[in-house]
């Protein structure tokens, strides 16, 4: 695990974008694992700038997202489909048919999670997976629990996560209580993982992650089992180290 403690969020975003851009130049048909939330927005902005400058192209890239709320359709302004279009996909030359996100409004969710895992397997997983981390240590929506799912699954969001995500919704009651999330197998099968954390609120989870032990009470600690993880954090997130 390689840990970079950077000055601030902008520096994290630049570093993440640099790593991804380099890989993309080496491999134009890169398979990118993507996240939503505040953490990767700066990285997407930097990648968009690189694209606009003509330094990189996403025309052969395949993208897989980690998760989606159950019950929000693709055009709902808090759905992760909408987030990805607004913050990234609509601003680069990626092909719509190469962007995969779990369908949270599928009629048969059990079929949908199987479909998503089959897809990941078919493409042989991501080359680079971008991750944020929850204050409670969740990665994607794999929440702290007695057991964690290896496969993509439908999960109940914890109160902590619902509270944290209520900042994006008008009323807390509007935050969905369930989501589809990629499981630990999908995440850990990526060739390289970049985890981004900014701000003091993430400091406790980061400290636990970097102790190097594995516990289901902080799902991010499973990243200690992976050989190629880059942790990009700012000084606040590194406060307890
Ligand atoms: C989002 C995701 C979540 C977030 C996490 C941190 O696709 O998988 O695990 O990465 O909740 O969210 P932010 O970045 O908003 O602090």
């Amino acid at each position: 695990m390689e840990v970079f403690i950077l000055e601030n969020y902008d520096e994290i975003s630049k570093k993440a974008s640099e790593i991804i851009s380099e890989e993309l130049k080496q491999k134009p048909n890169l398979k990118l694992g993507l996240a939503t939330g505040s953490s990767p927005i700066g990285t997407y902005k930097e990648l968009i700038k690189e694209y606009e400058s003509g330094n990189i192209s996403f025309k052969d890239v395949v993208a897989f997202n980690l998760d989606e709320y159950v019950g929000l359709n693709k055009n709902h302004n808090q759905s992760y489909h909408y987030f990805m279009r607004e913050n990234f996909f609509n601003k680069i030359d990626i092909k719509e048919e190469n962007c995969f996100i779990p369908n949270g409004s599928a009629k048969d969710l059990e079929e949908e999670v199987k479909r998503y895992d089959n897809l990941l397997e078919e493409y042989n997983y991501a080359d680079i997976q971008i991750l944020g981390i929850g204050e409670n240590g969740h990665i994607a929506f794999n929440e702290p629990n007695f057991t964690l799912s290896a496969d993509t699954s439908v999960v109940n969001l914890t109160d902590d996560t619902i509270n944290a995500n209520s900042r994006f919704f008008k009323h807390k009651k509007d935050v969905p209580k369930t989501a589809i999330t990629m499981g630990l197998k999908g995440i850990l099968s990526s060739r390289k993982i970049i985890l981004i954390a900014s701000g003091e609120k993430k400091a406790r989870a980061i400290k636990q992650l970097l102790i190097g032990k594995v516990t289901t009470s902080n799902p991010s600690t499973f990243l200690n089992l992976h050989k190629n993880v880059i942790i990009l954090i700012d000084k606040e997130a590194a406060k307890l180290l």
Side-chain angles (χ1 to χ4, degrees), residues 35-40 66-67 80 132-134 138-141 167 202:
T36 59
S38 319
S39 305
L66 290 168
D67 39 21
Y80 288 170
I133 181 171
H138 72 218
I139 46 173
F141 276 136
R167 70 190 194 277
K202 303 290 171 75

Side-chain angles (χ1 to χ4, degrees), residues 67-86:
D67 39 21
E68 177 59 287
Y69 288 120
V70 166
L72 298 192
N73 80 47
K74 294 175 184 174
N75 294 320
H76 188 288
N77 66 8
Q78 289 309 327
S79 76
Y80 288 170
H81 281 79
Y82 185 91
F83 176 102
M84 290 310 300
R85 289 199 302 272
E86 289 293 303

